Amino acid sequence: MIAVQPAAAQSILRDAETEALLQDMMAPISVAAGLKPNQVRVHLLGDPSINAFVAGSQDVYVFSGLINEAGSANEVQGVLAHELGHIMGGHAIRHAEGAGAATNISLLSLLLGAAAMAAGGGEAAMGIMMAGQQAALGKYLAFSRVQESTADAAGAQYLSKAGITGKGSLDFFKRLQNLEFRYAVKQDDDQAYGRTHPLSGDRIQALRESYVVDPAWDKPSDPAIEKRFQRVKAKLSGYMSEPARTLRNYPESDTSIPARYARAYAWHKSAYPQKALDEAKALLAADPEDPYFLELEGQVLLESGRPAEALPPLRKAVANSRNQPLISAILGHALIATENPDNFAEAEEVLKTAVALDNQNPFAWYQLGIVYANKGDQPRAALASAERYQLMGNSSSLALRNAEIAMQGLPPHSADWIRAQDISLVARAEVERGRKRR
């Protein structure tokens, strides 16, 4: 599991097992909506908030706090179905319509206020501007609430068509309602005016009417998905939470797979590598071929300063996961970390495969740049750095600089030269936009 800092503030958590689970949970819902299984990508953000949102046209972002709060995979699928409702409704694009209408009202109120001031009515002008701002906010919030209700209804339809029970969706809304009660959030209609979402009680009532008559209402959740979810939830808890809290929630008396997973990460974070390895070996005793258990053992060894010992489990993890690119990137890192020149050719092969399968991993590009620099191939090292900086956000000037260095040394009009040119054009445009904003 690694954290990638994008242009927006939150860190995107990249983990092979978690991403595979979230995509498998989304796939049947996507198909029910008329899309291809992997057409919508689900990303995990390292943020304790209980939230999810859509961005762009086909990307769903789920906060780690939501995974931690959810009691089952079915609850998360209810959230994913709701977010897919936003995507299919074009809400990420139409968001600008609501914001635009609100902005138009605000600007109009400012113009009226200026006219009143010119006529000598200062207090009247202030009243007009404040009323205009309130009207703008009210219109925008009303627009948002309509979108949320539409996404609720669409999500219910997708779950039904996919044959997935809506019980988890209702359970999750009840969790949200309980949190609102805990924090004394009022549940009356007067409070609804100032909310971006409808009242939780109203949403539960509306969805219940749809779910209880659905043929899938009493259908049990997929046990394999649920088992994987409990693993991932524990793993995420071990990675994100303070070790002391993880060890309280998953005491050593608990020898289940999820508990061992959580403790392995907690011990590793606490700088107890042997304890972490003991948990990893216990997991492997239960399933010696599991690529994610092998990845865990290799990662603990690598990050404990034992890269040569990490190679066998990581090689096996890559093979058993069919060259999963995130795991391949860790293997490439371990090969480089041995500082054995005999391992660099393998590292180059592994890392080139990793970025070919997933070019959105700045960590893999960084490691590949090290390999190229070690070979004396400075143009391709610069290209790898350009790829890395382009993905990191707020690094357009560095992406531009490295792309231009790469172009100077690469054969003109070759595939790598064209790629460097593409990065240069995009980065230059971003740098110019930044200058104009400043």
Side-chain angles (χ1 to χ4, degrees):
M1 186 174 289
I2 59 173
V4 178
Q5 190 73 23
Q10 293 99 348
S11 293
I12 296 178
L13 298 182
R14 299 294 314 271
D15 175 68
E17 182 178 16
T18 303
E19 290 182 2
L21 171 65
L22 291 174
Q23 289 303 136
D24 288 347
M25 289 168 64
M26 175 59 92
I29 309 171
S30 297
V31 172
L35 303 175
K36 295 179 181 178
N38 292 316
Q39 196 166 341
V40 175
R41 291 192 62 189
V42 185
H43 310 269
L44 182 66
L45 293 179
D47 189 300
S49 305
I50 305 170
N51 198 9
F53 65 90
V54 298
S57 58
Q58 293 174 333
D59 291 277
V60 174
Y61 291 83
V62 176
F63 287 55
S64 60
L66 189 149
I67 301 294
N68 185 59
E69 183 67 23
S72 69
N74 188 223
E75 290 185 27
V76 178
Q77 281 185 304
V79 175
L80 294 177
H82 170 88
E83 298 304 327
L84 184 57
H86 282 304
I87 289 175
M88 300 305 291
H91 295 169
I93 299 171
R94 294 193 64 224
H95 174 86
E97 296 177 20
T103 301
N104 289 338
I105 293 175
S106 294
L107 291 175
L108 177 60
S109 71
L110 289 173
L111 291 172
L112 291 172
M117 283 184 179
E123 291 184 7
M126 183 63 69
I128 290 172
M129 284 188 274
M130 291 179 65
Q133 294 295 328
Q134 186 64 29
L137 178 61
K139 186 172 181 65
Y140 174 74
L141 293 175
F143 183 87
S144 177
R145 290 194 296 273
V146 169
Q147 287 190 337
E148 293 299 328
S149 296
T150 302
D152 282 350
Q157 292 178 4
Y158 303 148
L159 288 175
S160 175
K161 191 172 181 180
I164 298 172
T165 179
K167 289 181 180 179
S169 177
L170 288 181
D171 287 343
F172 192 78
F173 277 123
K174 289 175 183 175
R175 289 180 187 276
L176 294 181
Q177 189 178 41
N178 288 336
L179 286 173
E180 290 176 350
F181 288 147
R182 185 187 307 171
Y183 293 108
V185 177
K186 293 184 179 180
Q187 300 292 307
D188 53 52
D189 291 336
D190 290 339
Q191 293 295 317
Y193 177 81
R195 295 167 60 109
T196 57
H197 291 57
L199 294 169
S200 295
D202 292 344
R203 301 175 83 174
I204 291 170
Q205 182 177 349
L207 287 171
R208 178 178 287 280
E209 293 175 0
S210 299
Y211 286 139
V212 295
V213 298
D214 188 81
W217 174 251
D218 288 318
K219 183 177 178 181
S221 299
D222 184 333
I225 289 288
E226 185 60 39
K227 182 179 179 180
R228 290 168 62 190
F229 174 76
Q230 295 302 331
R231 276 177 50 161
V232 163
K233 180 178 177 179
K235 181 182 193 177
L236 186 60
S237 175
Y239 182 79
M240 293 292 296
S241 300
E242 288 298 321
R245 181 178 180 181
T246 301
L247 295 172
R248 282 197 305 270
N249 293 336
Y250 298 95
E252 292 187 73
S253 58
D254 185 348
T255 57
S256 66
I257 295 295
R260 290 194 181 280
Y261 230 166
R263 288 198 300 272
Y265 278 92
W267 289 127
H268 188 41
K269 284 180 65 174
S270 301
Y272 288 98
Q274 191 53 54
K275 285 181 174 288
L277 284 172
D278 289 343
E279 298 289 2
K281 291 184 182 300
L283 291 170
L284 284 167
D287 188 350
E289 300 302 316
D290 189 301
Y292 306 120
F293 295 165
L294 290 162
E295 177 195 18
L296 172 62
E297 181 185 29
Q299 188 171 4
V300 172
L301 287 166
L302 169 61
E303 294 175 1
S304 301
R306 299 154 67 180
E309 295 176 58
L311 297 182
L314 287 176
R315 286 188 178 116
K316 191 174 180 181
V318 169
N320 289 4
S321 66
R322 299 181 181 180
N323 295 314
Q324 208 290 328
L326 290 174
I327 302 177
S328 296
I330 297 174
L331 172 58
H333 180 201
L335 288 163
I336 294 169
T338 63
E339 299 182 355
N340 183 347
D342 295 338
N343 288 330
F344 275 63
E346 182 185 357
E348 180 178 356
E349 180 182 353
V350 166
L351 290 166
K352 286 171 70 174
T353 300
V355 297
L357 294 173
D358 177 9
N359 65 0
Q360 300 297 303
N361 185 352
F363 176 76
W365 283 114
Y366 174 69
Q367 297 299 322
L368 186 56
I370 292 175
V371 172
Y372 284 137
N374 184 265
K375 289 176 60 176
D377 190 345
Q378 294 304 327
R380 285 181 177 80
L383 177 56
S385 293
E387 295 275 11
R388 171 195 173 206
Y389 286 123
Q390 186 184 43
L391 291 170
M392 290 177 63
N394 297 324
S395 300
S396 297
S397 60
L398 291 172
L400 174 60
R401 187 183 311 162
N402 280 277
E404 291 179 340
I405 292 172
M407 289 175 67
Q408 292 172 9
L410 292 167
H413 309 296
S414 64
D416 285 340
W417 185 91
I418 292 172
R419 178 57 186 161
Q421 183 185 54
D422 289 343
I423 295 173
S424 173
L425 291 171
V426 172
R428 187 181 301 279
E430 184 59 37
V431 168
E432 290 300 323
R433 280 194 293 270
R435 287 174 180 166
K436 290 178 180 178
R437 285 193 295 268
R438 288 193 294 271

